[in-house]
Amino acid sequence: MITVENIYREIDIMAPFCTQEKWDNSGLLAGDMNMPVRRIYICLDISNEAVSEAEKFGADLMISHHPVIFSPLKSLRPSDPVWKLAERNIAAICVHTPLDTAAEGINAALYDMLKERLSLGEIKDSLCGSGFGWIAESERSFSAEEMAQILREAFGCSVLRYCDSGRNIRRIALCSGSGGSFLEGIAEQNCDALITGDIKHDCWITAKNKGLSLFDCGHYHTERIAVELLAEKLRSAFPETEIICGDSGDPVKYSFGGKSV
């Protein structure tokens, strides 16, 4: 019988939990290592909707990229996903920053996804020496407007926000999730642009000041590839275990001329 510990150890090979950032909370966050696992539900976030879907599937274990417990809990109520996990006897493993920085993790998958679309050469550098993303040079140059259209189609975004430095783009930094904090270092690495998500106002100003084009493709859109990445790894290691990928979609809606998408 496959147990939670077997699954945990397999993920740990790909994205060692010991590499997580101090502020992160990756690992086994609900359940017990000895719990048997017959069915696994993999998702980006363990929301109430995801727990309901996992229960319908008969999952013994949920695996997510974002931690279901991130900040210390000061209360626990029946409406909280953690309560629902315990009530339904479903374990939860969350692999956040270890998957961000793993050599074959989410940012490697992001590079592979964009390689042909942006004519990227081999990876030149890690993002500010952090492992949270990569830098590669394109074999051609792009205007910011041209790149924005390519990225919107690649990620399937309803909306893609960007700022234009006014110069052609060739040396490109990639960071899944929220990479705005790396802007200062990216400028020092002579990049022309950063592709990421979840950009705050001050980051747009920094990008303008540094002469960088900046593309916010959405936190959800740049990280949903984590789900299939984990599923592929675990299906190979545990072919007898049923695994499904959940996708509740982008939680954000966008309004255009009276219509919301």
Side-chain angles (χ1 to χ4, degrees):
M1 175 65 67
I2 303 300
T3 66
V4 169
E5 183 176 13
N6 296 136
I7 306 298
Y8 180 95
R9 291 189 180 279
E10 189 64 31
I11 295 172
D12 193 51
I13 294 171
M14 174 190 186
F17 289 101
C18 66
T19 63
Q20 68 179 287
E21 295 293 301
K22 291 180 180 179
W23 47 264
D24 193 16
N25 190 32
S26 292
L28 177 62
L29 304 190
D32 183 86
M33 286 290 191
N34 296 316
M35 291 172 66
V37 176
R38 301 172 187 82
R39 293 180 175 180
I40 301 172
Y41 183 97
I42 303 178
C43 54
L44 186 62
D45 296 277
I46 299 179
S47 61
N48 285 329
E49 182 180 352
V51 175
S52 295
E53 289 294 322
E55 183 183 22
K56 290 176 185 176
F57 176 58
D60 309 295
L61 171 66
M62 294 187 73
I63 300 172
S64 71
H65 180 47
H66 295 136
V68 67
I69 302 173
F70 195 63
S71 302
L73 294 175
K74 295 184 178 181
S75 65
L76 193 58
R77 305 183 186 282
S79 59
D80 296 330
V82 178
W83 179 296
K84 296 180 187 296
L85 288 169
E87 187 177 48
R88 291 156 176 76
N89 199 35
I90 300 174
I93 294 174
C94 304
V95 53
H96 189 207
T97 55
L99 193 63
D100 287 329
T101 58
E104 297 181 1
I106 187 170
N107 280 296
L110 187 64
Y111 167 80
D112 289 341
M113 173 185 169
L114 297 176
K115 186 175 181 178
E116 281 192 28
R117 290 180 172 93
L118 297 179
S119 302
L120 297 177
E122 295 302 311
I123 292 169
K124 295 289 186 180
D125 298 291
S126 67
L127 206 63
C128 306
S130 67
F132 272 99
W134 309 108
I135 294 171
E137 294 185 10
S138 176
E139 296 173 358
R140 52 168 294 199
S141 64
F142 300 87
S143 68
E145 183 178 4
E146 183 181 12
M147 182 168 285
Q149 180 62 26
I150 292 170
L151 294 175
R152 193 182 68 80
E153 292 175 359
F155 288 109
C157 306
S158 298
V159 168
L160 186 148
R161 302 190 302 161
Y162 74 100
C163 72
D164 186 350
S165 69
R167 71 173 193 243
N168 286 338
I169 299 168
R170 292 204 60 173
R171 186 168 168 85
I172 302 165
L174 308 169
C175 179
S176 66
S178 179
S181 62
F182 293 111
L183 276 170
E184 296 278 353
I186 288 169
E188 292 176 3
Q189 289 179 279
N190 299 315
C191 292
D192 301 313
L194 168 63
I195 298 169
T196 186
D198 224 358
I199 293 297
K200 298 189 298 180
H201 179 78
D202 62 295
C203 293
W204 296 111
I205 303 302
T206 298
K208 281 285 191 180
N209 289 338
K210 297 292 183 182
L212 288 167
S213 291
L214 178 58
F215 299 87
D216 182 346
C217 306
H219 201 123
Y220 163 79
H221 290 92
T222 60
E223 292 201 325
R224 61 180 174 177
I225 53 178
V227 177
E228 192 56 48
L229 182 68
L230 287 166
E232 183 179 348
K233 173 73 172 177
L234 295 176
R235 283 173 180 144
S236 176
F238 305 100
E240 70 278 28
T241 303
E242 291 186 62
I243 298 172
I244 65 167
C245 297
D247 186 359
S248 300
D250 187 355
V252 181
K253 295 295 183 183
Y254 306 91
S255 179
F256 298 94
K259 294 183 179 180
S260 293
V261 295

